Amino acid sequence: MPEIRVTPLGAGQDVGRSCILVSIAGKNVMLDCGMHMGFNDDVDDELEIKAYYAGHVLGAAMFQIKVGSESVVYTGDYNMTPDRHLGAAWIDKCRPNLLITESTYATTIRDSKRCRERDFLKKVHETVERGGKVLIPVFALGRAQELCILLETFWERMNLKVPIYFSTGLTEKANHYYKLFIPWTNQKIRKTFVQRNMFEFKHIKAFDRAFADNPGPMVVFATPGMLHAGQSLQIFRKWAGNEKNMVIMPGYCVQGTVGHKILSGQRKLEMEGRQVLEVKMQVEYMSFSAHADAKGIMQLVGQAEPESVLLVHGEAKKMEFLKQKIEQELRVSCYMPANGETVTLPTSPSIPVGISLGLLKREMAQGLLPEAKKPRLLHGTLIMKDSNFRLVSSEQALKELGLAEHQLRFTCRVHLHDTRKEQETALRVYSHLKSILKDHCVQHLPDGSVTVESILIQAAAPSEDPGTKVLLVSWTYQDEELGSFLTSLLKKGLPQAPS
Amino acid sequence: MAAHLKKRVYEEFTKVVQPQEEIATKKLRLTKPSKSAALHIDLCKATSPADALQYLLQFARKPVEAESVEGVVRILLEHYYKENDPSVRLKIASLLGLLSKTAGFSPDCIMDDAINILQNEKSHQVLAQLLDTLLAIGTKLPENQAIQMRLVDVACKHLTDTSHGVRNKCLQLLGNLGSLEKSVTKDAESLAARDVQKIIGDYFSDQDPRVRTAAIKAMLQLHERGLKLHQTIYNQACKLLSDDYEQVRSAAVQLIWVVSQLYPESIVPIPSSNEEIRLVDDAFGKICHMVSDGSWVVRVQAAKLLGSMEQVSSHFLEQTLDKKLMSDLRRKRTAHERAKELYSSGEFSSGRKWGDDAPKEEVDTGAVNLIESGACGAFVHGLEDEMYEVRIAAVEALCMLAQSSPSFAEKCLDFLVDMFNDEIEEVRLQSIHTMRKISNNITLREDQLDTVLAVLEDSSRDIREALHELLCCTNVSTKEGIHLALVELLKNLTKYPTDRDSIWKCLKFLGSRHPTLVLPLVPELLSTHPFFDTAEPDMDDPAYIAVLVLIFNAAKTCPTMPALFSDHTFRHYAYLRDSLSHLVPALRLPGRKLVSSAVSPSIIPQEDPSQQFLQQSLERVYSLQHLDPQGAQELLEFTIRDLQRLGELQSELAGVADFSATYLRCQLLLIKALQEKLWNIAAPLYLKQSDLASAAAKQIMEETYKMEFMYSGVENKQVVIIHHMRLQAKALQLIVTARTTRGLDPLFGMCEKFLQEVDFFQRYFIADLPHLQDSFVDKLLDLMPRLMTSKPAEVVKILQTMLRQSAFLHLPLPEQIHKASATIIEPAGESDNPLRFTSGLVVALDVDATLEHVQDPQNTVKVQVLYPDGQAQMIHPKPADFRNPGPGRHRLITQIYLSHTAWTEACQVEVRLLLAYNSSARIAKCPWMEGGEMSPQVETSIEGTIPFSKPVKVYIMPKPARR
């Protein structure tokens, strides 16, 4: 029995770790495991890989792995709502056997992005208008670019002159790649690219440490995103004392970091060296997450139409809810294995068989109208040779195999009570059949036999009993249906002749 | 065979030659060899299929006259039978289709042949093409039932073809020609009467997606032709919504929409439950679901159609904006809900607390529906879509639905406001316009107003102006709201001073809509103090004027307000009322004597008197005959001055006043010209002294063109008068020429031409002649027979006396008349830095102008550039450069290219807008003109241009190219 086996090694009912092992049609595929630098991963001849756009971050992709007719789609992280720099994830109706999807936000339905963006812009705008400084701690990739684009376009639209900086280093490098991969970004950036590459920021400049002490309003993007170390923390310490300033945390903060502390409302922070830092600046939280929410996951499942779904990258409790929803609303079987647990899915792969055009046309011509999606009966010979299958007409099969055609004939004797001569009996049979089988070609041959299509009927007189005649009926196996019908007909006897 | 063909060719020749003998003059050009003969010869020459194809292609480029079509068709058919190459047959088949579309040719004669060759054709492509030809024939003969039946029969026969192309065409044919009524005749042979709907419906499940699409399209075609589709189709169409192919889904959405409009009230069951709902609701739910389809084409289609489903019940409609939020299975409120609560609890949005949006109550896991079967959240999805096409469609749909349902309008407000921050300008603009359209149904909350006003800082002028328009018709609920709006508008004013007019206008409406809300704000706005006199604000400050516009407009309906004004406010009122009368209404100010001047239409409180004034002044003028020339001139001059002033003061009368003034000016010029000394001398002088008279004639001509083409709303009765005035000007020109030019030869031509023009006038305005009693033309027509036979000198003499004697025609005032005007905003013409460019190359100059009351600006508005050397250049802007922000208004944003040879110094070029006109455009509407009856010598189509904007100077400097 062909099957697909899936074993999550790190991602089962867990967030933050990854790696999934998939066995499909005898091939083992390790998903989300990272590549060993310098090693060459061999890709099999029979393995097909197709990438779909996933949103999330630049270059994120979902993969379809296909062997023959069996396929698995692995989503990785994806985002079903477009944002300021990337489009939404998209998949065609590829109908895979299995869809492995992340489920970080399995129990969340998010509000529209617009409100959050508007709030964010309003807060930043108000602060700089007041003359305050805005600090936005970010990680180098993804949200940083989204927020940069957001602010850049807003500055452009509103004709603002306040400087925006982003900390040098990784962000700068990341921006460089963003500039190069314009086709992977969203509609707006792609369309305006001809006039201007949106990532060639006009208002956003590289940050220098000395700028932090400059007077007047400014906006700074600094790494890292949780304010636990580095430049963002340095700037934070400089600006925290002024209530005109503001810090906006655009993402999640781990417990214990400065970011988490200020978000939970702590106003006095103990820094190293027993220093106490009083936080007077405003602290704002804006969630800009780039994962699909429950609705998004369902939408993707609906679009791909898989046979079954497997959830990874999520907490067991939340997955449970989504699993139930998927089974209930989409009527698709759903799995959520823990790490090390193996899920086995039986598949019924279709086996391709080649058919000659001549045969296909001939058979098509027999039916009246080719009905879509309805099984049809077809006569032919299946040849299995070198692990491929062909369906050909029997004549051609014989020719190819160098075999002579054997004819298989059924013969049957039917006894009839008839005192007349053989020829007359034959004539009676002829006229009887002629009257019944109107659509078939019934012939009376000069040698006294009767043919119906290819079925031969001969009348003979057995020597022992002159009152009975024996009808010899002979037909090939192709005409089995007609032949057996004829015999049963003849066994009922002939109608009394008006003699 | 050859002999037979040859005979045919000769027949062709004779056929064409015969009519030539009968009506020799007209058909002369047909003597060249007929098309069919030439084609036949070509085709016989062709040695290979490729050759033949080339000949056919060449042939297809030239038009064929209706009378030779049949011959050509015969020749083509002849070759069709002989041809073995399918591509040539294909081309012939397509040519047959094209030819049968020729106007004036009845294709029923070739139908038999077409059907005949169809039956023997083997190639699928050719078959499809032939069916297409039959379709062309069938659509050409919509009345002939028998032919249609036959064609439908043919189509049904070929429906079982294996090629999708053929099936496609068959379905198309059925859709276009299938009989609409089920014929009652129970003839066994009338196969065509079979149920076309049923047949097409069977192909909804064809194996080829293209055929499925064609089947749905055919069904839609039937609907368009007026056949009522069966309700059973609905279920079939619903199944197609989950088709694998986007074009099928897209067409299916349309079909569902059509059925839902046909049977909105019928009841359909909900699958897997016992409930039943109205069909239109069900369809609405299904189309809503398609808004989150995988293909954006389908999404656009679905979003567009939603807008026109007004019969849907409000319950379903409101679901489209609904999206239940949750976080970790706990219910969360949307930002919109939070904003509303904050507002109603009196708090202002803090948004500072982390976890302000913390989820509240637990959600019942069983009750959450992630894939909504119905309309849930369709617009929420549509407005968040990745493609801006979908978002625009969703905004449009929202607009249409909101217009028909006030409660929905109220609900969708938050979403529309959100769209003001879209990344694509077009979407922002569209949503602002939408909001303006539904603004009658809504009142903005303060927090919403805040978001709306934030957009005022947008750097795009389009957006800002749209927003001003929106604010003009917005309802604000609180006085804080008004204050906020004023503050933001003033901010806008300081940031973008060019918005001045638009902002003033906006404040005018804002004030007159909310007098009671403005009242408590007055002391603060005017910064008056109960005890102290405050400094008098600067009267020229645009911001101060803006505040005053708001207050004065509010004061119009709020009589208690003027009591709060300080002395200088009254003075400023008087000044503004005079200088910006279109923005400041007339107020009844208690206890104050109105400042009155000699001509004081400005303080006439209502419109009626000024209308009256206009009427009276015109009346006075029309009694002109009875005055001596000197008095007449004076009266005209005064009236023209009055009218001009009136136009400036009363914007709504500006069009009429200007129009009348222009007419009077023409008359004044005419009188002046006729008063010249020149006429008193009996003999012609042949001197160049009559500059004044000829200049007057020329100017009258120009003015009449302006009157005819620069005003919108000019009716036929005015056109008559205008043309009449022009005729007089032409007469004047003629007699001036006669007086000043030696020799008779030019005079002959001019006379001839003038008489033709009189003739033309008579024919064109035959219906209006009775109104022209006693006029110039009336008298002229009386003398026409005499004039025709007279010598030029005599004609001139008659004309001269008639011009003097003829009465001044009364110009009836049109109902609605507006003068076309244009203002160039960009370039502003203030720059001292010349635009430098290398001579011989071009420099692009951005031009931004607003146009008012211009009809069809795409064709009429041109940009003219005048170089200092007198060289003028006319530029035709692209149609896409014109935008239409409101009724009667257009905006031209374009780039013009300047180039010149090198100059030694920077110099100014003039840029202005021209209104192009073409007098034949108006006359072409005249019924008698068909068939070229008019003698071609009369100059009927006069093309010209009228400058209608102030010229702007641009400083440029073409430098010599560096070597």
Side-chain angles (χ1 to χ4, degrees):
Chain A
M1 191 70 188
E3 58 189 24
I4 297 177
R5 277 184 296 128
V6 185
T7 317
L9 300 178
Q13 305 185 359
D14 201 347
V15 192
R17 294 190 288 167
S18 60
C19 200
I20 301 158
L21 182 67
V22 177
S23 318
I24 171 170
K27 323 260 177 221
N28 288 329
V29 183
M30 187 96 94
L31 295 170
D32 216 346
C33 59
M35 276 223 311
H36 292 282
M37 288 312 211
F39 283 83
N40 225 354
D41 289 341
D42 271 327
V43 174
D44 206 284
D45 285 351
E46 291 171 31
L47 207 63
E48 273 177 50
I49 296 179
K50 185 177 176 186
Y52 291 99
Y53 190 78
H56 191 65
V57 293
L58 190 80
M62 310 188 279
F63 286 100
Q64 184 190 33
I65 300 145
K66 199 169 172 185
V67 182
S69 63
E70 292 167 276
S71 63
V72 172
V73 172
Y74 177 64
T75 63
D77 286 351
Y78 63 99
N79 187 6
M80 291 298 282
T81 41
D83 63 30
R84 288 283 169 156
H85 71 310
L86 297 176
W90 178 85
I91 199 162
D92 54 7
K93 281 194 194 202
C94 53
R95 301 199 172 89
N97 296 91
L98 178 64
L99 175 80
I100 305 175
T101 169
E102 62 130 339
S103 52
T104 323
Y105 287 98
T107 54
T108 300
I109 301 176
R110 240 181 277 113
D111 197 357
S112 115
K113 205 147 191 153
R114 267 169 224 291
C115 297
R116 270 175 285 153
E117 284 175 0
R118 202 185 58 209
D119 276 1
F120 173 78
L121 293 173
K122 204 173 146 192
K123 280 170 190 165
V124 173
H125 191 191
E126 277 172 2
T127 311
V128 295
E129 273 204 332
R130 268 201 314 264
K133 296 176 168 64
V134 182
L135 172 66
I136 308 170
V138 286
F139 293 101
L141 202 71
R143 287 327 92 204
Q145 279 71 28
E146 185 188 347
L147 295 177
C148 278
I149 286 277
L150 190 59
L151 278 190
E152 167 86 10
T153 41
F154 187 72
W155 252 237
E156 187 91 32
R157 261 182 67 193
M158 297 302 185
N159 238 337
L160 297 177
K161 298 282 181 280
V162 177
I164 308 176
Y165 301 108
F166 63 90
S167 61
T168 42
L170 201 50
T171 324
E172 212 171 23
K173 255 183 221 158
N175 280 349
H176 178 65
Y177 285 104
Y178 273 82
K179 268 180 227 167
L180 292 179
F181 291 99
I182 291 298
W184 293 354
T185 54
N186 74 0
Q187 190 189 19
K188 156 94 175 172
I189 299 177
R190 273 184 280 133
K191 287 218 160 149
T192 51
F193 167 67
V194 185
Q195 283 106 35
R196 179 164 94 92
N197 190 333
M198 291 271 278
F199 291 101
E200 309 266 6
F201 299 123
K202 253 190 207 164
H203 301 271
I204 304 179
K205 297 165 208 100
F207 185 69
D208 187 275
R209 189 170 302 202
F211 292 166
D213 296 322
N214 282 0
M218 66 173 86
V219 180
V220 175
F221 290 96
T223 49
M226 296 190 201
L227 279 183
H228 50 275
Q231 204 162 34
S232 60
L233 189 60
Q234 277 176 16
I235 301 171
F236 175 73
R237 284 166 73 169
K238 273 190 185 149
W239 291 357
N242 191 341
E243 67 272 3
K244 274 205 286 186
N245 297 345
M246 178 185 281
V247 57
I248 299 179
M249 309 294 298
Y252 179 74
C253 286
V254 174
Q255 207 149 16
T257 56
V258 176
H260 188 265
K261 280 179 199 156
I262 56 169
L263 277 180
S264 45
Q266 221 169 313
R267 278 312 191 175
K268 286 205 167 122
L269 298 174
E270 260 186 54
M271 309 307 276
E272 70 272 21
R274 298 214 165 168
Q275 261 181 307
V276 174
L277 181 66
E278 200 178 345
V279 182
K280 283 187 185 157
M281 79 197 296
Q282 296 162 36
V283 179
E284 300 281 356
Y285 173 72
M286 282 275 143
S287 149
F288 280 92
S289 174
H291 289 270
D293 63 358
K295 265 188 170 225
I297 296 170
M298 295 291 273
Q299 206 182 332
L300 186 88
V301 174
Q303 276 178 14
E305 297 187 5
E307 271 168 36
S308 43
V309 177
L310 191 139
L311 303 177
V312 292
H313 281 282
E315 292 161 37
K317 207 182 81 199
K318 296 182 180 177
M319 280 180 169
E320 191 66 50
F321 166 78
L322 191 65
K323 173 176 184 290
Q324 181 200 338
K325 286 291 150 198
I326 290 176
E327 284 175 347
Q328 193 181 320
E329 286 175 34
L330 296 168
R331 293 189 181 75
V332 171
S333 57
C334 185
Y335 307 88
M336 37 172 286
N339 280 336
E341 199 181 313
T342 304
V343 172
T344 310
L345 289 168
T347 56
S348 47
S350 47
I351 300 161
V353 174
I355 184 169
S356 71
L357 193 64
L359 178 64
L360 186 68
K361 278 194 171 162
R362 202 173 67 193
E363 292 290 333
M364 291 272 271
Q366 279 177 15
L368 275 171
L369 192 90
E371 279 275 359
K373 291 162 195 157
K374 259 192 194 162
R376 279 270 306 270
L377 203 64
L378 196 75
H379 290 279
T381 310
L382 188 69
I383 300 181
M384 289 166 68
K385 205 170 158 190
D386 314 329
S387 79
N388 75 41
F389 298 81
R390 278 185 309 131
L391 193 65
V392 293
S393 61
S394 38
E395 298 88 49
Q396 204 191 331
L398 285 169
K399 219 167 89 188
E400 269 180 40
L401 298 173
L403 297 174
E405 193 179 359
H406 291 275
Q407 255 199 12
L408 186 63
R409 288 196 88 88
F410 299 100
T411 44
C412 184
R413 285 160 185 271
V414 178
H415 294 269
L416 276 182
H417 280 282
D418 196 355
T419 47
R420 270 165 277 202
K421 283 204 173 143
E422 292 112 58
Q423 285 84 355
E424 282 173 45
T425 315
L427 206 63
R428 279 183 65 202
V429 169
Y430 168 71
S431 52
H432 175 55
L433 292 180
K434 184 105 185 157
S435 67
I436 291 179
L437 301 168
K438 284 211 172 75
D439 328 341
H440 295 272
C441 160
V442 183
Q443 278 179 317
H444 190 222
L445 299 181
D447 65 341
S449 54
V450 176
T451 59
V452 180
E453 309 267 320
S454 66
I455 298 165
L456 190 72
I457 304 169
Q458 276 180 331
S463 47
E464 58 266 33
D465 187 4
T468 53
K469 294 283 174 298
V470 177
L471 289 178
L472 282 169
V473 187
S474 160
W475 67 92
T476 63
Y477 82 101
Q478 284 99 332
D479 290 320
E480 166 64 20
E481 207 183 340
L482 186 64
S484 42
F485 171 72
L486 266 186
T487 38
S488 61
L489 188 74
L490 290 174
K491 271 178 186 162
K492 281 185 205 144
L494 296 175
Q496 277 309 310
S499 50
Chain B
M1 189 66 192
H4 172 65
L5 270 182
K6 209 168 160 192
K7 195 177 148 217
R8 217 178 249 286
V9 174
Y10 280 123
E11 272 172 14
E12 285 306 317
F13 274 113
T14 49
K15 196 186 252 168
V16 180
V17 172
Q18 264 172 1
Q20 179 202 356
E21 285 152 8
E22 290 165 19
I23 322 162
T25 48
K26 211 172 163 189
K27 306 270 177 171
L28 251 167
R29 62 204 162 91
L30 282 181
T31 45
K32 61 186 174 192
S34 86
K35 287 263 155 63
S36 54
L39 178 67
H40 172 68
I41 292 160
D42 278 348
L43 285 178
C44 287
K45 269 198 298 191
T47 48
S48 67
D51 262 1
L53 212 52
Q54 278 307 317
Y55 286 127
L56 286 170
L57 281 171
Q58 269 168 25
F59 175 76
R61 282 190 202 114
K62 284 168 271 166
V64 178
E65 298 83 13
E67 53 266 38
S68 52
V69 166
E70 194 170 354
V72 173
V73 165
R74 294 278 156 236
I75 294 289
L76 285 174
L77 284 172
E78 212 62 71
H79 283 271
Y80 185 93
Y81 288 121
K82 289 192 297 185
E83 190 55 60
N84 292 322
D85 188 75
S87 58
V88 177
R89 287 208 304 276
L90 184 78
K91 185 65 202 166
I92 293 179
S94 96
L95 271 180
L96 288 179
L98 276 177
L99 286 173
S100 59
K101 282 180 193 156
T102 315
F105 169 70
S106 170
D108 42 359
C109 48
I110 63 169
M111 196 187 72
D112 283 327
D113 295 278
I115 293 177
N116 230 342
I117 56 178
L118 189 74
Q119 271 149 2
N120 301 321
E121 184 55 58
K122 288 284 174 291
S123 158
H124 293 300
Q125 278 166 323
V126 181
L127 260 179
Q129 189 58 56
L130 281 171
L131 284 163
D132 201 47
T133 303
L134 287 182
L135 177 61
I137 296 172
T139 34
K140 194 88 193 297
L141 306 162
E143 270 81 53
N144 197 330
Q145 282 293 328
I147 284 185
Q148 304 229 339
M149 294 258 238
R150 233 184 111 195
L151 290 177
V152 166
D153 230 26
V154 171
C156 287
K157 237 178 259 161
H158 285 90
L159 265 178
T160 49
D161 197 281
T162 50
S163 154
H164 69 87
V166 179
R167 290 205 300 274
N168 256 352
K169 285 287 170 220
C170 287
L171 287 167
Q172 208 179 335
L173 215 131
L174 284 176
N176 278 300
L177 304 174
S179 61
L180 299 181
E181 304 90 31
K182 258 192 264 177
S183 61
V184 206
T185 50
K186 293 248 167 113
D187 297 339
E189 51 86 42
S190 80
L191 276 167
R194 50 192 156 185
D195 192 353
V196 186
Q197 277 195 57
K198 174 87 181 44
I199 297 167
I200 295 177
D202 286 344
Y203 282 81
F204 279 7
S205 55
D206 192 275
Q207 58 178 0
D208 194 303
R210 288 164 288 197
V211 180
R212 291 200 291 273
T213 315
I216 302 174
K217 292 249 166 80
M219 200 63 105
L220 290 169
Q221 183 69 36
L222 282 181
H223 166 72
E224 240 156 66
R225 290 174 54 222
L227 179 75
K228 191 164 186 191
L229 302 183
H230 301 312
Q231 202 192 322
T232 45
I233 286 170
Y234 183 68
N235 284 330
Q236 286 177 293
C238 287
K239 278 188 207 120
L240 289 172
L241 283 182
S242 51
D243 199 280
D244 281 8
Y245 290 85
E246 63 177 29
Q247 64 274 48
V248 181
R249 292 200 300 270
S250 173
V253 169
Q254 278 182 56
L255 188 59
I256 286 190
W257 178 80
V258 164
V259 179
S260 79
Q261 300 299 307
L262 286 174
Y263 306 95
E265 297 303 327
S266 49
I267 300 294
V268 289
I270 303 175
S272 73
S273 84
N274 295 329
E275 285 173 68
E276 290 179 324
I277 49 170
R278 289 161 71 218
L279 193 141
V280 64
D281 289 344
D282 191 53
F284 188 76
K286 293 216 158 76
I287 297 179
C288 278
H289 189 70
M290 298 311 277
V291 175
S292 46
D293 190 88
S295 148
W296 70 272
V297 181
V298 181
R299 294 202 297 267
V300 171
Q301 178 75 269
K304 267 189 192 150
L305 291 176
L306 281 183
S308 45
M309 298 181 79
E310 282 145 17
Q311 293 123 309
V312 73
S313 24
S314 60
H315 162 62
F316 274 87
L317 195 56
E318 278 155 27
Q319 268 189 7
T320 54
L321 297 175
D322 198 20
K323 190 181 176 187
K324 297 265 180 311
L325 301 191
M326 60 176 195
S327 171
D328 285 354
L329 286 181
R330 277 176 301 174
R331 171 102 173 82
K332 220 169 123 175
R333 288 161 313 147
T334 60
H336 293 155
E337 287 168 326
R338 268 181 283 138
K340 202 170 173 180
E341 262 169 57
L342 279 174
Y343 174 72
S344 51
S345 67
E347 259 181 80
F348 276 97
S349 169
S350 62
R352 306 252 157 83
K353 275 175 279 166
W354 136 270
D356 175 37
D357 57 345
K360 296 275 163 72
E361 69 267 38
E362 293 266 331
V363 174
D364 176 15
T365 49
V368 184
N369 226 2
L370 288 181
I371 297 270
E372 319 74 3
S373 45
C376 246
F379 279 121
V380 181
H381 285 291
L383 294 176
E384 263 185 42
D385 200 277
E386 183 184 358
M387 309 298 283
Y388 83 92
E389 291 89 344
V390 182
R391 296 200 296 270
I392 286 196
V395 168
E396 273 164 11
L398 214 53
C399 170
M400 283 159 85
L401 289 171
Q403 275 173 327
S404 59
S405 156
S407 68
F408 183 71
E410 196 74 51
K411 287 217 166 62
C412 75
L413 214 53
D414 277 324
F415 293 90
L416 271 183
V417 171
D418 277 351
M419 295 308 284
F420 285 17
N421 282 318
D422 196 276
E423 55 187 343
I424 304 257
E425 184 176 323
E426 225 173 314
V427 182
R428 295 201 292 270
L429 204 57
Q430 182 66 41
S431 42
I432 294 174
H433 284 316
T434 299
M435 185 103 139
R436 176 169 53 86
K437 283 180 202 150
I438 63 172
S439 55
N440 293 330
N441 287 338
I442 52 166
T443 306
L444 282 180
R445 279 199 324 264
E446 223 166 281
D447 57 307
Q448 290 165 336
L449 188 69
D450 201 27
T451 324
V452 172
L453 291 172
V455 186
L456 276 178
E457 285 191 52
D458 203 298
S459 59
S460 151
R461 199 188 158 113
D462 277 342
I463 295 269
R464 291 198 309 272
E465 279 181 359
L467 211 59
H468 295 155
E469 295 260 318
L470 165 65
L471 286 176
C472 282
C473 44
T474 316
N475 299 316
V476 182
S477 48
T478 58
K479 78 174 203 303
E480 284 80 16
I482 294 282
H483 195 230
L484 198 66
L486 180 67
V487 169
E488 290 293 331
L489 282 169
L490 292 182
K491 229 173 163 181
N492 173 353
L493 188 63
T494 43
K495 202 163 174 183
Y496 305 101
T498 44
D499 286 3
R500 203 178 66 179
D501 292 316
S502 170
I503 289 174
W504 285 348
K505 193 176 134 225
C506 169
L507 283 167
K508 172 187 171 188
F509 285 99
L510 210 58
S512 54
R513 281 178 91 92
H514 307 95
T516 48
L517 297 181
V518 175
L519 183 63
L521 292 172
V522 170
E524 192 194 338
L525 294 180
L526 292 177
S527 54
T528 48
H529 192 277
F531 311 126
F532 303 117
D533 266 348
T534 44
E536 185 175 329
D538 177 15
M539 194 54 248
D540 291 325
D541 179 13
Y544 178 61
I545 295 178
V547 173
L548 286 185
V549 167
L550 176 78
I551 291 175
F552 289 148
N553 278 290
K556 194 177 167 194
T557 45
C558 183
T560 54
M561 204 180 283
L564 299 168
F565 294 172
S566 51
D567 276 351
H568 56 78
T569 316
F570 288 108
R571 280 204 312 279
H572 293 166
Y573 165 73
Y575 171 67
L576 286 183
R577 174 70 194 134
D578 212 30
S579 61
L580 292 173
S581 47
H582 60 287
L583 291 172
V584 179
L587 294 181
R588 221 170 302 155
L589 298 178
R592 277 192 74 87
K593 261 200 96 182
L594 297 171
V595 196
S596 58
S597 58
V599 187
S600 55
S602 56
I603 338 181
I604 292 170
Q606 270 108 36
E607 286 168 24
D608 264 347
S610 47
Q611 179 92 44
Q612 231 169 18
F613 172 76
L614 183 89
Q615 292 287 358
Q616 278 167 0
S617 349
L618 291 177
E619 286 304 321
R620 229 173 331 144
V621 174
Y622 292 131
S623 57
L624 214 64
Q625 290 84 328
H626 316 300
L627 281 170
D628 62 302
Q630 195 59 37
Q633 269 185 44
E634 266 169 33
L635 180 62
L636 279 170
E637 270 161 19
F638 279 129
T639 320
I640 290 169
R641 196 195 63 196
D642 284 357
L643 288 175
Q644 274 171 342
R645 180 87 184 112
L646 183 71
E648 282 162 29
L649 292 172
Q650 293 276 334
S651 57
E652 55 270 49
L653 289 178
V656 182
D658 264 358
F659 189 64
S660 319
T662 314
Y663 181 60
L664 297 186
R665 197 172 309 119
C666 289
Q667 183 65 20
L668 180 65
L669 285 168
L670 190 66
I671 293 179
K672 272 189 184 163
L674 291 172
Q675 289 252 283
E676 256 202 293
K677 289 201 186 91
L678 172 75
W679 314 114
N680 300 340
I681 303 157
L685 282 177
Y686 310 128
L687 287 177
K688 295 274 178 198
Q689 273 174 352
S690 56
D691 281 349
L692 186 95
S694 73
K698 218 177 260 167
Q699 201 183 341
I700 295 174
M701 298 277 276
E702 268 169 34
E703 299 277 348
T704 54
Y705 282 122
K706 272 190 200 169
M707 285 175 80
E708 192 174 351
F709 297 103
M710 249 176 92
Y711 293 85
S712 61
V714 178
E715 295 153 30
N716 204 36
K717 50 186 176 190
Q718 282 94 35
V719 177
V720 185
I721 308 287
I722 296 167
H723 276 251
H724 180 250
M725 181 53 85
R726 196 176 302 155
L727 201 64
Q728 280 174 300
K730 279 176 184 161
L732 182 66
Q733 219 164 24
L734 179 65
I735 55 178
V736 171
T737 324
R739 280 257 153 181
T740 51
T741 328
R742 216 182 283 269
L744 279 176
D745 293 344
L747 221 52
F748 265 123
M750 278 185 79
C751 263
E752 181 94 343
K753 203 170 143 194
F754 178 75
L755 291 178
Q756 262 167 2
E757 238 154 296
V758 175
D759 183 47
F760 168 67
F761 182 92
Q762 183 196 6
R763 280 199 282 173
Y764 183 28
F765 297 111
I766 190 101
D768 299 292
L769 283 181
H771 304 301
L772 305 177
Q773 289 282 322
D774 254 2
S775 69
F776 174 66
V777 81
D778 188 39
K779 291 181 180 165
L780 201 60
L781 289 175
D782 286 343
L783 294 175
M784 204 56 182
R786 213 183 113 194
L787 285 171
M788 293 292 247
T789 52
S790 311
K791 283 182 190 148
E794 217 166 320
V795 173
V796 168
K797 214 175 241 169
I798 298 169
L799 283 180
Q800 195 176 336
T801 43
M802 268 193 315
L803 264 182
R804 280 165 186 276
Q805 286 167 357
S806 60
F808 181 32
L809 276 179
H810 194 293
L811 177 72
L813 290 181
E815 302 276 321
Q816 275 291 324
I817 189 161
H818 295 286
K819 188 177 178 179
S821 63
T823 329
I824 299 178
I825 303 162
E826 190 98 10
E830 289 151 355
S831 173
D832 287 334
N833 296 331
L835 205 59
R836 292 174 192 281
F837 61 98
T838 308
S839 67
L841 299 182
V842 289
V843 66
L845 180 72
D846 286 306
V847 172
D848 181 349
T850 51
L851 317 171
E852 294 204 44
H853 306 297
V854 181
Q855 291 158 326
D856 190 19
Q858 282 88 341
N859 292 326
T860 54
V861 176
K862 316 282 173 210
V863 184
Q864 192 187 36
V865 182
L866 277 172
Y867 292 95
D869 59 355
Q871 191 188 335
Q873 187 190 355
M874 182 118 84
I875 294 140
H876 307 257
K878 287 186 297 240
D881 290 339
F882 293 93
R883 304 176 193 187
N884 190 356
R889 288 192 302 130
H890 286 89
R891 182 124 181 257
L892 170 67
I893 298 174
T894 187
Q895 277 201 326
I896 57 171
Y897 299 113
L898 306 179
S899 184
H900 212 275
T901 49
W903 298 347
T904 51
E905 232 165 292
C907 215
Q908 282 171 327
V909 292
E910 275 188 14
V911 177
R912 67 167 108 194
L913 297 184
L914 301 180
L915 198 65
Y917 62 83
N918 183 352
S919 61
S920 71
R922 205 181 274 272
I923 286 156
K925 289 175 203 155
C926 181
W928 58 261
M929 241 206 49
E930 315 151 308
E933 266 177 57
M934 197 177 51
S935 45
Q937 293 97 326
V938 177
E939 209 177 330
T940 47
S941 97
I942 296 167
E943 285 179 0
T945 50
I946 310 165
F948 76 128
S949 80
K950 279 190 193 130
V952 176
K953 293 205 164 95
V954 181
Y955 211 34
I956 62 165
M957 172 67 202
K959 293 176 297 186
R962 265 189 240 122
R963 291 179 198 274

